Amino acid sequence: MAASVVCRAATAGAQVLLRARRSPALLRTPALRSTATFAQALQFVPETQVSLLDNGLRVASEQSSQPTCTGTKNRPGSALEKEVESMGAHLNAYSTREHTAYYIKALSKDLPKAVELLGDIVQNCSLEDSQIEKERDVILREMQENDASMRDVVFNYLHATAFQGTPLAQAVEGPSENVRKLSRADLTEYLSTHYKAPRMVLAAAGAGVEHQQLLDLAQKHLGGIPWTYAEDAVPTLTPCRFTGSEIRHRDDALPFAHVAIAVEGPGWASPDNVALQVANAIIGHYDCTYGGGVHLSSPLASGAVANKLCQSFQTFSICYAETGLLGAHFVCDRMKIDDMMFVLQGQWMRLCTSATESEVARGKNILRNALVSHLDGTTPVCEDIGRSLLTYGRRIPLAEWESRIAEVDASVVREICSKYIYDQCPAVAGYGPIEQLPDYNRIRSGMFWLRF
């Protein structure tokens, strides 16, 4: 109903403009004069406040107009579930290759209880043998479900070959044999090693979230988290090197081939990330369900439609502490793999050698839209705050991101793409009916152009 009202209002407004024949008086109305630019609008984004507890735990909050914020020894599994349900809240957790997050989405008036529950979870995790066995079965089922996702399988293969011999080569869940033999002692050692205050961030966002209140609650419920290590044995991260290589898993019973190709990208803190994200936005993404056909703005998407190259493709930039993956993933018919790979690599080479100002301007606008739309809601805002503090050491304001994007031009895109893509050894992962996937040496030869 709301959408229909908006459409009727827009139609009526258009008719008024047509009848007015661009009346100077109408163009001088305050509503039209007061339109803010994108950069001006970013100045009104709420500020993220950050404080540090005595034990090194960081506390961050952001107040907005949205009315939400984000089994232990004290609360057995059923009791914890009932307590969360009685609040009308949502409790969940997830892990990536570098981070683990626990979050509660609740009404702002329940912020004290939410912080208490989170503090109880991270400090008093119940490690009863019965609970471990129950969760062991849950994880094994989740691993089976993940194996049914072709995209997840391909990206796990891509990490396995790109970072072979390093921790990043493992899937988030790890190998199934580890899940089967994981013991209470292993979990206790992991918690005592990694759950330290300087490695943690407490973030909250939503209406009614007062930073001082959050700080007091953090001091009360999280102030006891230890920050020292036994015998000063601070864990060190194993360096993760990139290796240009490939993994092929041929299965002709599958209807489509899933292929991912990537080069080594920069880490989180690299200033080159913005230019590479603009380059990814220029190549774009495509799905056969999209409208637009050959008139899509992305040259690769337009070519994919015109020549029926693929079912879908997407670019990606995955960042870690010191390294990353920059590439593309596509799904296509078994007889179109060679053509799709050739066209994709051609687009990469074109960005390295002849990116134009017009397409860079288009890519920058796409990136601006993605940057803002990604933070639509308090849950993604909380995630962004926590991830930013852990990776950058601070929350980078949207206005600063905008200034970084504005500095990118065609020459910067050509320079940065040449640095990371041109004549670099890629990592390749293929799954499905991939008989037509070109030999690795041929793929490698497509990473440069010979021009005389």
Side-chain angles (χ1 to χ4, degrees):
M1 181 179 295
S4 63
V5 172
V6 172
C7 290
R8 288 198 297 270
T11 303
Q15 292 172 349
V16 170
L17 287 174
L18 289 174
R19 288 198 299 269
R21 297 182 181 274
R22 297 184 178 273
S23 166
L26 180 61
L27 295 178
R28 289 196 299 268
T29 57
L32 296 179
R33 287 202 314 268
S34 62
T35 302
T37 66
F38 177 76
Q40 290 171 339
L42 294 182
Q43 302 299 324
F44 298 98
V45 173
E47 179 186 1
T48 302
Q49 301 182 64
V50 182
S51 299
L52 190 69
L53 297 186
D54 294 337
N55 61 359
L57 187 140
R58 283 161 287 184
V59 180
S61 66
E62 179 178 303
Q63 189 169 25
S64 68
S65 59
Q66 303 185 48
T68 54
C69 66
T70 292
T72 70
K73 296 175 182 176
N74 300 329
R75 297 174 174 87
S78 58
L80 179 62
E81 292 175 3
K82 290 179 180 178
E83 190 163 352
V84 173
E85 289 177 359
S86 66
M87 296 164 55
H90 174 70
L91 171 65
N92 209 339
Y94 67 87
S95 293
T96 66
R97 282 180 167 83
E98 285 193 324
H99 301 140
T100 296
Y102 302 91
Y103 67 91
I104 294 180
K105 192 176 182 70
L107 295 175
S108 56
K109 67 181 180 64
D110 294 321
L111 178 62
K113 178 59 70 174
V115 175
E116 180 187 350
L117 289 174
L118 289 176
D120 197 16
I121 290 171
V122 299
Q123 295 177 93
N124 303 307
C125 186
S126 176
L127 297 177
E128 298 177 1
D129 291 336
S130 59
Q131 288 294 325
I132 293 175
E133 292 303 321
K134 178 181 177 181
E135 291 303 318
R136 195 193 311 274
D137 294 336
V138 171
I139 294 173
L140 290 172
R141 286 197 300 270
E142 289 179 351
M143 294 177 71
Q144 291 178 344
E145 293 173 0
N146 292 340
D147 288 342
S149 170
M150 303 296 103
R151 183 183 181 279
D152 290 345
V153 171
V154 167
F155 274 87
N156 282 337
Y157 281 157
L158 185 65
H159 281 79
T161 190
F163 301 113
Q164 53 189 276
T166 73
L168 281 180
Q170 299 291 342
V172 175
E173 300 86 358
S176 58
E177 56 266 24
N178 283 4
V179 177
R180 291 188 176 93
K181 66 182 182 181
L182 203 63
S183 66
R184 186 177 188 276
D186 296 326
L187 295 174
T188 302
E189 180 184 1
Y190 177 85
L191 292 175
S192 62
T193 302
H194 297 284
Y195 280 37
K196 301 293 186 181
R199 301 168 61 93
M200 295 183 179
V201 173
L202 173 66
V209 176
E210 297 293 339
H211 184 72
Q212 186 58 50
Q213 179 192 17
L214 182 66
L215 187 61
D216 294 339
L217 291 170
Q219 184 64 53
K220 178 180 178 181
H221 299 293
L222 299 169
I225 297 178
W227 58 277
T228 58
Y229 293 88
E231 301 179 356
D232 292 331
V234 179
T236 56
L237 296 177
T238 305
C240 294
R241 67 184 183 280
F242 178 91
T243 304
S245 53
E246 67 174 359
I247 284 183
R248 296 173 183 242
H249 181 171
R250 182 176 172 182
D251 186 349
D252 291 340
L254 296 176
F256 296 109
H258 295 251
V259 180
I261 177 172
V263 293
E264 183 177 16
W268 281 107
S270 172
D272 297 336
N273 269 317
V274 175
L276 291 174
Q277 289 176 17
V278 171
N280 270 349
I282 293 172
I283 295 178
H285 54 87
Y286 165 74
D287 190 275
C288 60
T289 59
Y290 289 178
V294 296
H295 305 293
L296 292 168
S297 58
S298 163
L300 182 56
S302 178
V305 174
N307 300 290
K308 299 181 180 179
L309 294 178
C310 65
Q311 295 294 307
S312 65
F313 74 81
Q314 68 174 45
T315 55
F316 57 85
S317 180
I318 305 172
C319 292
Y320 297 109
E322 301 295 338
T323 185
L325 289 175
L326 175 74
H329 164 254
F330 61 85
V331 181
C332 67
D333 183 80
R334 66 187 69 199
M335 301 306 294
K336 293 291 186 178
I337 303 175
D338 194 356
D339 292 340
M340 184 62 192
M341 183 66 76
F342 176 81
V343 175
L344 170 61
Q345 289 184 287
Q347 288 297 313
W348 272 355
M349 296 303 100
R350 189 181 63 79
L351 288 179
C352 295
T353 59
S354 53
T356 64
E357 293 292 351
S358 61
E359 63 184 356
V360 170
R362 175 176 62 83
K364 288 160 67 174
N365 287 335
I366 293 173
L367 180 57
R368 289 183 179 107
N369 178 70
L371 192 65
V372 175
S373 60
H374 170 67
L375 300 178
D376 183 18
T378 54
T379 300
V381 167
C382 273
E383 291 175 343
D384 186 67
I385 292 173
R387 183 170 53 249
S388 296
L389 290 176
L390 289 173
T391 53
Y392 305 121
R394 67 188 181 98
R395 178 86 185 285
I396 301 178
L398 287 177
E400 183 176 336
W401 282 119
E402 162 58 20
S403 65
R404 294 186 185 186
I405 294 173
E407 292 173 357
V408 176
D409 58 19
S411 63
V412 172
V413 170
R414 291 193 294 267
E415 177 186 354
I416 299 302
C417 286
S418 296
K419 176 181 176 181
Y420 288 94
I421 300 175
Y422 197 86
D423 201 20
Q424 299 297 316
C425 293
V428 182
Y431 182 34
I434 56 171
E435 181 181 9
Q436 203 191 56
L437 182 63
D439 176 77
Y440 182 83
N441 290 323
R442 185 177 165 198
I443 295 174
R444 177 64 180 86
S445 69
M447 299 301 292
F448 60 89
W449 278 350
L450 292 177
R451 293 188 169 185
F452 300 92

